[in-house]
Amino acid sequence: HIEAIDKTRRIEVVQKNKDFEREMKVFAEKEKDYIQKAKKDSQLVFDVPEPKRQPDKVLMFSDINIPAAGEFLKDHRKMLVLVKELSSWIGNMDAYSKGSGERGYWLSSYDGGPQVVKRIGRGEIVVPNFSACVAGALTPASLRAALGAGTLNSDGLLQRALIALGDTQ
């Protein structure tokens, strides 16, 4: 059910983004026209408000990294990360940060709270409440392997999880 709602919202977002791009083109033309006229008349005032992009209504992702999550959560109160295989999400958690970065953010997203995400290329993002719900599936064999390797039980990731086992019969 939630995937159907998300699909409908994503279609709305595509249309909203097209509308915003069109508004920005109109704004850019008005600004260009103003600049040309202001060269001749320095008393002119540019009083056209710049269009503002409204936050998207999309709330669900199947794959997202911490900088992108921060960018999303600066304008939204909640986020769902719905992955088909939790083992791949766990394995990819620190793929780009060499084992030191994203896992801590995901662990702290359980409690939520303010975060400041700063990246060289993207600048600083202030997130009022970095809170995410992560849902997915993990086979008992994958769970045992992760527990045996110590990748789930050493830092509290497992303790933040609600695990349900289905009947195999």
Side-chain angles (χ1 to χ4, degrees):
H1 179 69
I2 195 165
E3 288 176 330
I5 293 170
D6 186 65
K7 181 180 177 183
T8 301
R9 287 182 171 181
R10 287 187 185 278
I11 292 168
E12 291 172 6
V13 166
V14 168
Q15 184 58 50
K16 187 179 76 169
N17 286 339
K18 286 180 183 178
D19 293 344
F20 176 75
E21 289 171 14
R22 198 173 305 112
E23 291 172 8
M24 284 302 294
K25 286 180 183 177
V26 170
F27 174 79
E29 285 298 317
K30 289 180 179 180
E31 187 178 41
K32 183 179 174 184
D33 185 48
Y34 163 76
I35 291 170
Q36 291 299 319
K37 289 179 180 177
K39 289 178 183 177
K40 297 175 185 170
D41 183 0
S42 62
Q43 301 298 318
L44 284 178
V45 175
F46 187 65
D47 60 354
V48 178
E50 184 173 347
K52 300 287 183 209
R53 184 184 299 266
Q54 297 299 314
D56 296 335
K57 292 181 180 179
V58 176
L59 303 175
M60 187 176 82
F61 301 93
S62 59
D63 184 27
I64 190 166
N65 63 18
I66 292 300
E71 185 68 39
F72 178 80
L73 287 169
K74 76 176 185 181
D75 297 320
H76 298 81
R77 293 182 310 121
K78 54 194 169 203
M79 173 177 70
L80 170 64
V81 180
L82 183 62
V83 293
K84 302 289 185 199
E85 287 292 332
L86 280 173
S87 58
S88 64
W89 178 76
I90 293 166
N92 289 334
M93 195 177 293
D94 290 322
Y96 302 106
S97 59
K98 296 183 176 75
S100 62
E102 292 203 354
R103 191 174 185 99
Y105 279 104
W106 287 118
L107 287 165
S108 67
S109 75
Y110 178 80
D111 294 322
Q115 293 279 351
V116 177
V117 180
K118 184 170 179 133
R119 296 291 183 265
I120 292 172
R122 295 184 184 173
E124 186 172 283
I125 299 167
V126 177
V127 182
N129 186 28
F130 197 95
S131 179
C133 178
V134 180
L138 186 67
T139 64
S142 296
L143 179 59
R144 278 191 295 276
L147 287 171
T151 57
L152 283 181
N153 56 355
S154 61
D155 59 7
L157 184 62
L158 181 64
Q159 290 78 2
R160 291 171 172 86
L162 175 61
I163 299 173
L165 296 174
D167 189 3
T168 58
Q169 297 177 0

